[in-house]
Amino acid sequence: MECGDAAAYSPVVNVARSRRLEVRGPRVGLGYGVAVAGTVVAAGALFPLRTGLGATDVVLVFLVVVVAAAASGGLGPGVVASLLGFVASDLLFVTPYYTLLVTKEQELLSLAVYLLVALVVSVLVGTSEQRRVRAEQRERETHTLYELSASLVAHGSLEATLDSAARTLRRLLGLAGCAIVLIDEHGAANLGASDGALPDDVAQRAVSAPQEDAAEPDAAAGPDTATAPASGKLYAVPLRAADRQIGVLAVYPGDTAQSALGAVERRMLASFAAQAALAVEQARSEQARAKTRALEATDRLRRALLNSVSHDLRTPLASILASTASLLDAAVPLDDREREQFLLTVEQEARRLARLVDNLLDMSRIEAGAVDPRLVEIWLPDVVNPAIQHARRTPSEQIIAVDVPDSLPPVLVDPVRLEQVLTNLLDNARRYAGYGLVQVGARCVDSKVELRVIDHGPGVPDDQRERIFSQFYRLDSDGRRGGGTGLGLAICRGLVEAMGGQIWVETAPGGGAAFVLCLPRADAVPS
């Protein structure tokens, strides 16, 4: 199968040709037509008046024809118009008529001056037209390069950027197909982006095909020069960055001779290939930096986990081992009360270990985005009251005051997850509140219900109000009692946000910290 035979590997695709970048210059055929027809028309219009016209008047009219022919077709038609005007003036308007003889010196001088001026005008007009054509060509090249460069502006991922660039390139150059093939660090070719009619194995063909030099072709080449391969064949330009090839730009111009790429299109492809290579290299560098940052963050997380969890694991384990050793030692006389105390210690420390393991599992689910709350419509007191009762079971001199009216509208939450959040907040409040009062209150605010857990401890400094919700971060304070892994508040934020709510901390009236849960009302959430 021929590489350029689009019909062999895809349905026939009719690609609407965009305007060519080539500016074909003066229309030579039209210029010659203007030279001949203009001379005939001018001679026919002046012929009835030739007895009253001077040689100067005649040559000025033919000079207009010269300018028109040169402007239409360039230097060649201008020279032809000059010669035709010279011959017509001599034959039809200079005595003796119908001969090339000139008897008067003044008329001979007029004809000679006309011919000289006509030739000079032809050269000047033709040169000016060529400059105009080249200026238009450069303008179109610049505009096209701008659009191609704009297509390489990041659209999010590298794949999205390359897809946009391939579509833009195919549209601007009117290509039958366009592909950007990337070469990884192992030398394997992978299709980065494609658009249009392409074979299935375009990546392998692009790498193995003869590749054009990405350097810009000779700018002195005329705009009509077409040096690309035969139409319908693969045209490959390497993508190079830092003296190494990172990919290939492969295009299929089409299956007709008119669609073959010219020098201007090849220049466009070379410039675009250089810019695309820089974009790919920059994106890969950014991906490498992001991967390095992720590895560093993972390493820091591991160290923080080991530092934080190791102590919290060893403490309950040591209590459990000591209690069980005393229970199993037959040489240690124990009465029923002491035996019960050791068993109670084992139970409490085992529950502490279970809570630590649960927190670690919850944190891993939150990080993985695997939290799937079961949102139901509930009354807030149905969740708050069991959490308060559970907290009061722990012996403490603190008082927990509750103000959650039954008249509050229902909220749309996961009751199990909300109770877990509230339990963590209560444990945190009692840890920092010292012997002060812990308050739990709720109120309705617009389409939300705010649930507040307030302690009257040392409070949270303004610069640490966000950090306390980070993993393994623990606030050092004189009012703090006991330890902790620093996971509780991070888990609270993850669970609340998974339920569609918000959580933050602010200064409580009278001092201390107030943790605010903002929960969605069930009657304000679309079904």
Side-chain angles (χ1 to χ4, degrees):
M1 180 178 66
E2 287 294 330
C3 186
D5 188 3
Y9 54 79
S10 65
V12 176
V13 178
N14 294 323
V15 180
R17 286 290 174 191
S18 64
R19 56 179 174 82
R20 301 294 293 180
L21 291 176
E22 305 278 8
V23 179
R24 297 303 176 184
R27 290 161 291 185
V28 179
L30 176 62
Y32 285 117
V34 170
V36 175
T39 302
V40 172
V41 171
L46 294 176
F47 186 79
L49 308 174
R50 64 178 178 177
T51 56
L53 295 176
T56 303
D57 300 326
V58 175
V59 296
L60 286 177
V61 173
F62 284 113
L63 193 59
V64 174
V65 178
V66 173
V67 173
S72 301
L75 179 60
V79 173
V80 170
S82 302
L83 296 177
L84 289 177
F86 177 83
V87 173
S89 299
D90 192 5
L91 287 176
L92 300 178
F93 300 98
V94 176
T95 57
Y97 299 130
Y98 311 117
T99 68
L100 295 178
L101 297 177
V102 181
T103 58
K104 296 181 180 180
E105 294 182 358
Q106 182 179 359
E107 293 179 345
L108 180 61
L109 180 60
S110 297
L111 290 175
V113 171
Y114 158 75
L115 184 59
L116 178 61
V117 172
L119 292 176
V120 172
V121 168
S122 299
V123 173
L124 293 178
V125 173
T127 303
S128 176
E129 184 66 15
Q130 288 294 333
R131 289 177 178 175
R132 182 192 64 80
V133 168
R134 292 178 181 177
E136 288 184 0
Q137 176 178 305
R138 289 300 182 183
E139 180 183 1
R140 293 189 181 185
E141 288 185 43
T142 302
H143 178 73
T144 304
L145 277 177
Y146 171 78
E147 291 193 46
L148 290 175
S149 300
S151 69
L152 289 172
V153 176
H155 291 73
S157 63
L158 176 60
E159 291 76 12
T161 300
L162 295 181
D163 284 339
S164 173
R167 288 193 302 269
T168 304
L169 180 63
R170 177 171 175 257
R171 173 177 60 84
L172 291 177
L173 298 188
L175 302 172
C178 173
I180 300 177
V181 180
L182 301 180
I183 301 176
D184 59 22
E185 60 273 14
H186 304 294
N190 302 295
L191 186 61
S194 63
D195 191 60
L198 295 167
D200 296 335
D201 57 346
V202 62
Q204 289 70 29
R205 293 189 179 189
V207 174
S208 60
Q211 297 177 8
E212 294 288 328
D213 189 0
E216 183 173 333
D218 185 6
D224 294 328
T225 304
T227 56
S231 61
K233 303 297 183 180
L234 173 67
Y235 181 72
V237 181
L239 304 181
R240 299 187 183 276
D243 297 330
R244 63 187 180 88
Q245 184 172 348
I246 62 173
V248 178
L249 172 63
V251 300
Y252 288 87
D255 53 3
T256 62
Q258 290 76 14
S259 62
L261 296 177
V264 177
E265 282 84 0
R266 296 177 63 237
R267 259 200 314 270
M268 293 293 101
L269 292 175
S271 300
F272 177 76
Q275 296 179 30
L278 292 177
V280 171
E281 191 68 7
Q282 182 179 2
R284 285 181 172 178
S285 299
E286 183 59 33
Q287 290 176 353
R289 287 193 294 270
K291 185 177 181 180
T292 301
R293 289 194 295 267
L295 291 175
E296 291 176 352
T298 302
D299 187 58
R300 287 195 301 270
L301 189 63
R302 287 199 189 99
R303 290 198 300 268
L305 176 64
L306 291 176
N307 294 336
S308 179
V309 175
S310 59
H311 175 268
D312 294 288
L313 285 174
R314 284 196 298 265
T315 301
L317 282 176
S319 300
I320 292 174
L321 291 175
S323 299
T324 53
S326 299
L327 290 172
L328 293 175
D329 191 351
V332 179
L334 298 174
D335 56 22
D336 292 341
R337 182 175 176 279
E338 292 174 333
R339 189 179 302 276
E340 182 181 356
Q341 186 63 39
F342 279 126
L343 291 174
L344 182 60
T345 300
V346 171
E347 181 187 14
Q348 290 177 344
E349 297 301 328
R351 291 184 182 275
R352 182 178 173 185
L353 280 176
R355 285 198 302 271
L356 176 60
V357 172
D358 288 340
N359 282 341
L360 292 174
L361 292 176
D362 287 336
M363 197 69 250
S364 65
R365 292 191 191 99
I366 292 172
E367 285 189 335
V371 178
D372 186 18
R374 299 179 181 272
L375 302 181
V376 296
E377 181 179 337
I378 64 165
W379 298 97
L380 203 54
D382 293 341
V383 177
V384 173
N385 292 334
I388 299 296
Q389 293 174 6
H390 180 271
R392 285 173 175 169
R393 293 195 189 103
T394 304
S396 174
E397 297 181 6
Q398 294 168 333
I399 298 176
I400 302 178
V402 182
D403 181 17
V404 181
D406 293 336
S407 59
L408 288 174
V411 293
L412 190 65
V413 296
D414 184 331
V416 176
R417 294 299 189 182
L418 181 57
E419 184 176 351
Q420 180 182 355
V421 170
L422 189 55
T423 300
N424 279 344
L425 291 179
L426 287 171
D427 290 343
N428 184 77
R430 301 182 78 181
R431 183 180 303 118
Y432 283 91
Y435 297 100
L437 178 67
V438 175
Q439 297 173 284
V440 179
R443 63 175 182 170
C444 185
V445 180
D446 297 330
S447 62
K448 305 285 185 179
V449 174
E450 286 188 358
L451 178 64
R452 293 172 177 265
V453 179
I454 303 173
D455 68 71
H456 294 285
V460 180
D462 293 343
D463 60 342
Q464 299 191 48
R465 289 185 178 180
E466 278 299 315
R467 296 183 64 190
I468 61 174
F469 291 101
S470 302
Q471 301 176 30
F472 308 113
Y473 182 78
R474 291 178 288 190
L475 183 64
D476 295 330
S477 173
D478 295 337
R480 178 174 181 172
R481 298 189 307 155
T485 60
L487 288 175
L489 293 179
I491 292 174
C492 288
R493 168 164 284 185
L495 295 179
V496 170
E497 290 180 350
M499 292 185 292
Q502 295 175 298
I503 181 173
W504 66 87
V505 63
E506 57 189 36
T507 301
F515 287 87
V516 184
L517 295 177
C518 189
L519 305 173
R521 287 173 49 176
D523 55 359
V525 178
S527 59

